[in-house]
Amino acid sequence: AQQQLGREHQGITLRGSAELVAEFFSYGINSILYQRGIYPPETFTRVQKYGLTLLVTTDPELTNYLNNVTEQMKEWLYKCIVQRLVVVISSIESGEVLERWQFDIECDKTAKDDEGPREKSQKAIQDEIRSVIRQITATVTFLPLLESACAFDLLIYTDKDLAVPEKWEESGPQFIANSEEVRLRSFTTTIHKVNTTVAYK
Amino acid sequence: MSQEGSHEWELSKENVQPLRQGRVMSSLQEALAQQDSSSHTAVQLKKQEFEAEIRFYSGDDPLDVWERYIKWTEQAFPGGGKDGNLAAVLERAVRALHAQQQYYKDPRYLNLWLKFGDCCNEPLDLYSYLHSQEIGTTLALLYITWAEALEARGSFRKADLIFQEGLQRKAEPLDKLQAHHKQFQARVSRQTLRALEEGADGDNMGLLEIAEPQRSSLADLKGRGKKKVKAPISRVGDAVKAMNPNRSCQPQASLQLPNTPSFAVFDENSVSGPEIPTLTAQSWPAPPVPRAKENELSAGPWNSGRRPRSTVSSAMEAPHPLPSFTPYVDEAAQPQMMTPCKIEPSINCVLSTRKPEERQDPLQRVQHQQQDTQAKKEMVMYCKEKVYAGVDEFSFEEIRAEIYRKKAKKKDEDEIQAIERKKEEIQRKIEELEKKLKKKEDDKQQQPHEQAAEVMGASTPLGMQEFTFPGATEYGEKKPQSQSEFQIYEDTQPHKPSCSDNVGLLPPPATAPLFSIFDESSTLANQNISCSADRSRKSARHPLAVLKPVDSLSVKESTAAAACDELNGIERLTEDAIVTGSYKNKTLCANPEDTCDFNRAAHLASTPFHGVVAQRVLAPAFSQNELKRDSPESKSAPLNQETLVCEGAYTEALSVKKLSPIMEASLEDTHSSGSSVSGGSLSSVTQMSAIKCLQISEKLELAQSLPVEVVADSGGNVTEDDAAQFLWSPEQRKKLLGSVLSSLVASPDFHLETDVLPHMEVEKDVELGNETYCIKMEYWNNEEYKMFFTIPTGCIFQWDQKGFALKVYSQPVPWDFYIILELQKRLNSDFDQSFSENCSCYLYQDGCAIVHKDINCFTLRDVLRDRNFITKEIIFLVVHDLLLLVEKLHKAEIVHGDLRPEVLFLGDRICDAFSNEEVQNALKVVDFSHSLDLKLLPRVSFPYNFPIAQTPHGQQLLAESSLPYQVDLVGIADIVHLMLFGDHIQVYQENSIWKISQNLSKTPDSDFWSKLFERILNADGKSTVPLLRELREEISEMFDSSFKERLLLTLAAVGETFLLVNSQ
């Protein structure tokens, strides 16, 4: 009984938070890729997550790539040195940026020194994440149709002093001129706070 | 939290139609927010705006309006559907622009069509229709959309054909088309390959297992068939598109998945050749067989089906095994929404005869409409295209209103321009006029004849009368003329004994008179003989005699025409907007709807002295003139002529003004005066109105000094009503000022600005002339007048320092300035600190500002704010100065008209009591908004229009008969009462003596105050200046040596608190 009680009151640690947020990015990016039709819908499969049915890619290369990114993010999140993750969707033909999903991450750097876990149940966090994912799904109501074939790019903003790891390169912000910007919901693990915005032409 | 509001879109995401170009979040949120409030008036207004713009667009790109309208509709009605009525708007748009060939290659127009296609049941038909009509056939978008639609239906081969067609036609942008074609080919090949693979692998489902066929949402699932009930399964979704055709062994026949041989698609050369003709073979614009609408029924006569309905059950069993029509099977297998069970057999019967309903589809309607226009036989007798241009129907009144508004706007603009032009010229004109007048004056003494000719245009006919020759007098009697004019003739020529002759008595024949002139031998001779003997006769006719009257007639006619124009100004019902060119029914020409005609007729019927009638009366007069002119010597003839012209113009002016002078001189009367050679009867009239004549002659001077326009108004009898209007209408004031404008302009303090009045607001800077002022306070502000206290920009505002009073009048009439100049002129040395000695006037295009220098920022109202300030000494001082001030004004024949505590600025005597012993004035008045110059307008005896006359006490005290000066006395009484008791005066009448309701007995010096009130309130009819002086002197007597000391003491005591209280 004691143990159960402890579990219910279980807080969240820095590592746990980093994992949760990285996981969110993984599912979030997958959702965007599916919703926006970057990859053919038949290459996605359904999984149950956050109490929702989400679609994740089955393309092995893409899965691999995303896993790498997620792992990298997890590490950076744990170190609290990442500031922003951006999914840039651009036309393959013209190279023009059509959509820009921006996840701003606010890290509570004091958490590194904290010993004990923060008070916030996993369920509460997952509820918040769920509403963000739902909103990503709902954006089809206002996002324009992507007429041409598109590719996506991931940008990660980190603290300045970070050495660029292998397979990553420095890039510009790839903003959209005269874009319409919509702010989505945000969620927080008390250690990491993620604000989501989508910009489109 | 803002998030709650900003995430509304998420809650209603199902109710938002995705748009190809995306949605603007702000408008989406707005639209969603308005959905709740049910009254989206803003949206309706905007829609109305677009509807109006469509109708009254005058540019050369009507498509632009439609495009904006449609874009807006898409954004503003996220739910789509009936709300925004997008389909209807699109339909109207494509229909309205269909006639404009120049748009056929415009991508925007094609876009409208394609959007319209999305609303159609059968977009494929629409695409081929566009193709046949050559709409957008040069644009890649048509082919891309078309091919996509075909691809979605599985007609890969046809889709490829479309691409081929587009490529062949080099549709722009070609690269886009090619890219799409490539992608299309890639998709198709991928699919066929997969189909092959899976066909080989048999039941290896793999990933695609997920993609089960799905039912279309909301489709009818009711069983079909009579014995074996089968639910209709119409499959949609990814599964259908991606599904292997081989695996599409669904049991339903309705789902016909593309069974295209995949190889054939790529065999372009062989396949496309023969197929192309099918593309163009279709015989558009002949309406295609209605598709997808077979089973929908619209309202129609049901009487044929009445009986079977009563026996539904039996009918269900057997009655119509074979319907009389062949069921239509769509090649693309559109889901059939209705089951046979739902349809009553009776209705089935009707279905067979349902031809006229084929226009259910919007596309059909569009096509039909075009055919209709071609085959149209009937004539529309109203502006149908305007009424039905948009989606909403406009009423005639709305259209008229819109046109009227446009006209009014244009008129306003024109007027503004005209005013500008006038302003530029006004200076020059004034100078010219002045020169002319001067010249006239000179000429007047030397050569009256020539002078008359010159003046005639510019000056009143009355002005001429002094030089009238006897000959003119006769007409004066017989013609309709105002009384005053008549008298003047008599006055100027009282000695003329028998100025009338028989000619004047002739009943004026309407037609003949002009000819009689030429009949010299008979008529002329007679007339001349019958003419009075004292005129030196000359039988030789003036060579120009005939022509001249014609001239004068034409003058008159032109005025008559002007009067008619006035009527024409009334909007006709038959204006172009409602009944345009071809619509006009010529057979209805004597138009009963013509309001103008009607009005003319009404005038004709109700007044005997108008338009045609006036002409008839005048014509003989001129003819008589002609006759007469022969009798005087040739020297006098031209003058005679001119006078008559003037008279004619004058009577005409009267007729234009729709005065109907009473023809008092009956035939009998004139007869007697004419035949009884004595002037007795005439002179008696003259004596009766001798005084009037004097007044008129006075006015004549005025009239002569005024420019033309003024004359028109003031030249005649200035009635009291006119005078009342004179007081307050800025136009009238402007006219009045016209005469003195030159002197105003000449003043060094007068600045004519070319731009508009700057915006003025408290705590803002304002630039007047070269100076910049900072507005610190606003004393009062009504629609027309504003009074500010300003200091030069950069200075620090201190309550005890002097600044500038800035008076702003929203009309470009420098009335205040005029009054101040006049005061200066008329008072000479008496013009002192009581008035603004140093002021500058800035006349703008739309207003007028006057800056008064050296003004204390306090007014009498600030004093009244605290009873502690009002000591006995201050009351006496203020009242004394007030009396003095009004006395001066009245001496200068100026009525202030609006004496209130606010307009009385405190003079240095109160504000700066210690600095200068010599300073006398405690009050200063700078505002003359409601002032009246009785020298300019001597006959005003109608004080009702002054602001004071509107107050309760003013209404009581100012009778109709009161002199305008009385107004200021009431103002004084009220101010004194305010100072004594702190409230406005209340009066009652006792034994026809006005008294104040307050009890004076407890007030110090009650004797004096009761006397003051009694005299001021009952001064009606008496001259005000002596009264005011008397009262003032009485107060002066109280100013003994000790008074000054006491006053200084109180001022010192009060001064501190005064500044304190007021600066808070």
Side-chain angles (χ1 to χ4, degrees), chain B residues 282-295:
Chain B
Q282 272 169 310
S283 61
W284 300 100
V289 189
R291 299 181 180 185
K293 279 292 179 186
E294 295 73 29
N295 297 326

Side-chain angles (χ1 to χ4, degrees), chain B residues 298-305 350 357:
Chain B
S298 79
W302 278 31
N303 45 8
S304 62
V350 179
E357 289 155 29

Side-chain angles (χ1 to χ4, degrees), chain B residues 302-319:
Chain B
W302 278 31
N303 45 8
S304 62
R306 197 177 291 154
R307 184 130 19 125
R309 199 189 297 161
S310 58
T311 58
V312 175
S313 53
S314 66
M316 286 284 280
E317 284 178 6

Side-chain angles (χ1 to χ4, degrees), chain B residues 378-390:
Chain B
E378 78 261 33
M379 282 256 286
V380 185
M381 297 300 287
Y382 62 100
C383 48
K384 189 180 176 185
E385 84 280 342
K386 276 219 166 72
V387 173
Y388 295 108

Side-chain angles (χ1 to χ4, degrees), chain B residues 17-67:
Chain B
Q17 275 191 340
L19 280 185
R20 201 166 256 271
Q21 70 271 25
R23 286 189 181 276
V24 182
M25 193 36 119
S26 55
S27 58
L28 175 62
Q29 267 162 358
E30 210 173 288
L32 290 175
Q34 273 166 347
Q35 270 182 348
D36 299 339
S37 60
S38 76
S39 65
H40 21 277
T41 43
V43 174
Q44 289 304 331
L45 278 179
K46 184 78 184 163
K47 185 172 177 178
Q48 188 73 11
E49 207 175 280
F50 275 119
E51 288 280 335
E53 197 180 350
I54 283 163
R55 281 166 179 85
F56 306 107
Y57 183 77
S58 53
D60 53 358
D61 189 15
L63 175 56
D64 176 59
V65 184
W66 280 107
E67 204 200 7

Side-chain angles (χ1 to χ4, degrees), chain B residues 175-187:
Chain B
D175 52 343
K176 197 177 170 192
L177 184 62
Q178 281 164 341
H180 273 268
H181 189 207
K182 261 182 209 140
Q183 283 166 20
F184 164 74
Q185 286 176 329
R187 277 197 301 272

Side-chain angles (χ1 to χ4, degrees), chain B residues 49 288 637 788 1006:
Chain B
E49 207 175 280
F788 298 110
S1006 61

